[in-house]
Amino acid sequence: MHAITGRNSIRVTAMATVLAALLSLALTAAPALASHSQTAIIQDDGAVFSNPGATLQEMRHIGAQMVRLTVRWSAIAPAATSRRRPNFNATDPNAYPSGNWAPFDTIVRDAHADGLKLLFTVTAAAPYWGQGANPGRYRAHYSVEQAFEPSASAFGQFVRAVGTRYSGSFKPPGSLTALPRVSDWELYNEANFGEDLAPQAIDHSAVLWAPVMLRPLLNAAWGALRASGHGSDTKLIGALAARGSHIVSRRAAGLPGTYGETPPLAFIRDLYCVDGKYHPFRGAAAGVRSCPTTAAASRRFRAQNPALFSATGFSIHPYQLTADANAPPDITRYHNPDYVSLSQLPRLASTLDRVQRVYRSGKRFSLWNDEWGYITDPPVAVAPATGCRCHFVSPSTAATYMNWAEYMEWSNPRVASSSQFLLYDPNPSVGVVQYGGFASGLIYYPTVLGGQPKPSYFAYRLPIFMPKTATRLGNTLQVWGDVRPAPYAVADGDGAQFVQVEFQSSSGGQWISEKTVQVTDPHGYFQTSVAFPGSGLVRIAWTYPPSDLRLASNLVTPTQTVGPNGYFEPLTPTTSRTVAITLR
């Protein structure tokens, strides 16, 4: 829903005005939905960096509202593979190589023109000169894709440079206009995973070391964003991986080591300086973790660690992997009390509330799922990693499960976002081969089934879920759904948007519209009750406006174009997956 010629500030301002009006309408006309609405986040760093214009357009076309983008320190820093720190002002964006900023500048401009929010995940995949000395002592090594004991002060200087560049007032040398502002931030990525922050644990002392390192990294980044004009922005912490090594005790054998993974709830407790019973560490146990050693010191902990208590929300990556790879989103086959899959988000909320209360804080973090998706078969049937014959779900099952998962998130007032990791599947023969290149995308890789959209593509764009699918004839059933692109259609001036709830009898025949619902929620959600005439199939249908310039730009093939350049819709109703219902 985007015209190349429409990239200007007037359009973005108009979109913001319309979305604000939609929010007001939703609060007055449908108050039950207001507390359930959530931001739709999508991430595909590979496609966004390689082809930002087309990729961001396609993300907008299917209704994503926020694009998560990883901003790696080493990707922008000068002399990233040198152990000698270059002599430069690391807080000044102009002191960095201009070519290193260029891909980010393009993405920021294009996203702004498309009306897409960007979530900048600034993380310490660090230059060598920003990492600690002698990684070999922990059997580690230097890599610009990883971080061994990264310097908090140097990281903070980098974050300040990023914040300054994308403050909304910074003009790159030679440019007459300022770069658009970025207002949504995430401080660090998967700090409980050793490749992102090492060492995770110092085995000989039975201490989780990554939480100790993360505190000053968060403090430095927090201060840097405030200093660069982003004090009131959305700022997330966490971004933790869902599982990790099973820590039975503090014995060295139970710790994740240098490059392992720490269970997220164990990581959170150490981050907040409390033990397994939520008692503050004291004495030597506190000292070795850089935690308050006395009650008086604990009273200063909140002021000393503002990110831990004042962040907008706490993010998590609650994937269904390995033994859960083919499990529905409402269960997990893992019973470790420190894991957080999607079905265990209430456990995460409870842990965060408990550590806040230790310091007499009433903060109740909103929970942000900002990296998640189901890997499908095809392209890969089984993951041989770690001896687990983990069968992946079919593409149609993945579509069902992703709608179910989003309904679960929408139903939980603590959850602020839903997430889709990858628009396009990566090459299944490279990368994380045991996961088919981590094939959780909405569109197949070009060598797999011709690069066609998966069923999850359509399920993402028009989610549908019915909490109950059986009832007596004459009773109603609840239909929940989301017309994800509808807010963009309204913002583009296409008027009020309506969705059809359609029914097809189990004996076949035509699809009949049983109910028309106006989409007023600013995120496109709706929920309605329908009395269906019998057993059969249910779907929702919505038509892209004829004035959709995203389609008009492809007039050569007005029916469809499939592949890496995107998927364009025909000028006919767009439909969701189907749900079977039984009326007795």
Side-chain angles (χ1 to χ4, degrees):
M1 241 163 268
H2 167 75
I4 298 295
T5 57
R7 293 176 182 240
N8 55 61
S9 60
I10 295 175
R11 173 184 172 175
V12 175
T13 302
M15 179 177 179
T17 302
V18 173
L19 289 179
L22 272 172
L23 177 59
S24 175
L25 177 61
L27 291 174
T28 56
L33 293 182
S35 65
H36 296 288
S37 293
Q38 56 196 326
T39 299
I41 300 175
I42 193 167
Q43 180 177 359
D44 193 330
D45 284 359
V48 168
F49 278 105
S50 64
N51 193 358
T55 301
L56 292 168
Q57 285 180 2
E58 184 58 24
M59 290 173 170
R60 185 185 198 265
H61 185 63
I62 59 176
Q65 296 166 324
M66 177 179 282
V67 178
R68 183 174 185 252
L69 188 73
T70 307
V71 183
R72 292 178 172 85
W73 182 10
S74 59
I76 300 174
T81 57
S82 172
R83 279 293 294 151
R84 182 185 294 274
R85 184 191 184 281
N87 184 19
F88 76 116
N89 179 0
T91 66
D92 179 6
N94 289 326
Y96 290 76
S98 60
N100 293 359
W101 290 114
F104 296 92
D105 291 353
T106 299
I107 292 167
V108 168
R109 289 190 180 102
D110 285 356
H112 180 72
D114 286 334
L116 284 162
K117 289 186 174 183
L118 284 175
L119 176 63
F120 262 27
T121 301
V122 189
T123 194
Y128 290 1
W129 51 261
Q131 299 188 42
N134 190 19
R137 71 186 190 275
Y138 294 125
R139 290 176 291 184
H141 57 272
Y142 290 127
S143 167
V144 292
E145 299 298 325
Q146 300 175 5
F148 173 78
E149 295 185 342
S151 164
S153 60
F155 179 62
Q157 292 172 340
F158 167 67
V159 176
R160 182 162 180 177
V162 178
T164 299
R165 191 173 188 91
Y166 302 109
S167 62
S169 60
F170 180 85
K171 295 179 182 179
S175 176
L176 298 177
T177 59
L179 289 165
R181 179 182 177 86
V182 173
S183 298
D184 299 275
W185 304 84
E186 185 173 48
L187 307 182
Y188 221 89
N189 178 68
E190 293 194 351
N192 64 326
F193 182 40
E195 291 189 6
D196 290 280
L197 189 57
Q200 282 291 297
I202 301 176
D203 290 345
H204 67 268
S205 62
V207 172
L208 293 176
W209 193 241
V212 178
M213 292 188 289
L214 183 61
R215 268 182 247 120
L217 288 164
L218 291 179
N219 288 337
W222 186 269
L225 288 179
R226 289 186 62 86
S228 55
H230 298 277
S232 60
D233 284 1
T234 295
K235 294 187 286 292
L236 307 181
I237 61 171
L240 299 181
R243 291 190 291 278
S245 302
H246 185 65
I247 301 176
V248 179
S249 69
R250 293 286 171 175
R251 295 192 308 272
L255 293 177
T258 299
Y259 287 127
E261 188 173 327
T262 303
L265 300 189
F267 188 95
I268 289 170
R269 289 193 297 270
D270 271 48
L271 183 65
Y272 282 87
C273 294
V274 299
D275 63 20
K277 295 183 178 180
Y278 295 86
H279 298 146
F281 289 120
R282 287 290 180 259
V288 74
R289 294 172 173 83
S290 298
C291 291
T293 57
T294 65
S298 285
R299 289 192 287 272
R300 297 189 292 270
F301 187 73
R302 281 175 61 181
Q304 293 166 345
N305 295 275
L308 297 186
F309 298 91
S310 299
T312 308
F314 197 97
S315 52
I316 189 73
H317 303 163
Y319 282 111
Q320 305 278 114
L321 293 176
T322 56
D324 281 349
N326 60 3
D330 67 331
I331 69 167
T332 177
R333 298 184 176 108
Y334 292 98
H335 302 292
N336 188 312
D338 289 330
Y339 287 1
V340 182
S341 65
L342 195 101
S343 64
Q344 297 163 314
L345 289 178
R347 177 185 292 174
L348 172 61
S350 176
T351 295
L352 292 170
D353 291 348
R354 290 185 71 177
V355 296
Q356 292 290 318
R357 289 196 296 268
V358 169
Y359 298 97
R360 298 184 179 181
S361 168
K363 179 77 175 185
R364 287 170 58 84
F365 279 122
S366 59
L367 307 181
W368 289 66
N369 172 5
D370 65 3
E371 188 181 320
W372 183 87
Y374 271 98
I375 295 170
T376 65
D377 169 17
V380 62
V382 68
T386 64
C388 174
R389 295 193 59 79
C390 309
H391 292 267
F392 297 112
V393 294
S394 70
S396 60
T397 299
T400 299
Y401 285 177
M402 67 187 295
N403 285 176
W404 186 354
E406 188 168 357
Y407 175 77
M408 289 169 55
E409 292 168 319
W410 177 87
S411 301
N412 186 337
R414 291 288 293 270
V415 179
S417 68
S418 61
S419 179
Q420 168 57 36
F421 182 67
L422 296 183
L423 175 61
Y424 300 107
D425 275 355
N427 188 334
S429 63
V430 299
V432 190
V433 179
Q434 66 266 35
Y435 294 132
F438 213 93
S440 61
L442 302 179
I443 300 172
Y444 289 113
Y445 189 73
T447 61
V448 180
L449 299 178
Q452 293 280 342
K454 298 180 183 179
S456 53
Y457 175 96
F458 307 99
Y460 180 83
R461 184 185 54 201
L462 289 184
I464 183 174
F465 186 76
M466 298 181 67
K468 286 187 174 183
T469 56
T471 189
R472 294 185 180 277
L473 190 64
N475 290 346
T476 62
L477 289 170
Q478 292 290 314
V479 180
W480 170 90
D482 185 8
V483 187
R484 211 183 295 281
Y488 287 117
V490 175
D492 286 347
D494 292 310
Q497 298 297 301
F498 298 87
V499 62
Q500 307 294 324
V501 180
E502 297 185 338
F503 171 78
Q504 182 189 58
S505 171
S506 56
S507 60
Q510 292 186 338
W511 285 91
I512 305 297
S513 177
E514 295 292 335
K515 193 169 188 179
T516 300
V517 180
Q518 183 175 357
V519 181
T520 59
D521 181 81
H523 301 272
Y525 291 110
F526 71 92
Q527 186 175 39
T528 189
S529 298
V530 182
F532 294 99
S535 298
L537 298 175
V538 178
R539 71 183 186 186
I540 58 176
W542 175 75
T543 302
Y544 278 98
S547 62
D548 184 353
L549 297 178
R550 173 78 168 90
L551 175 64
S553 66
N554 190 50
L555 292 176
V556 176
T557 53
T559 54
Q560 66 179 33
T561 296
V562 180
N565 291 325
Y567 183 81
F568 298 82
E569 289 306 307
L571 291 174
T572 55
T574 295
T575 58
S576 69
R577 66 183 183 87
T578 61
V579 179
I581 62 170
T582 302
L583 271 69
R584 299 182 294 273

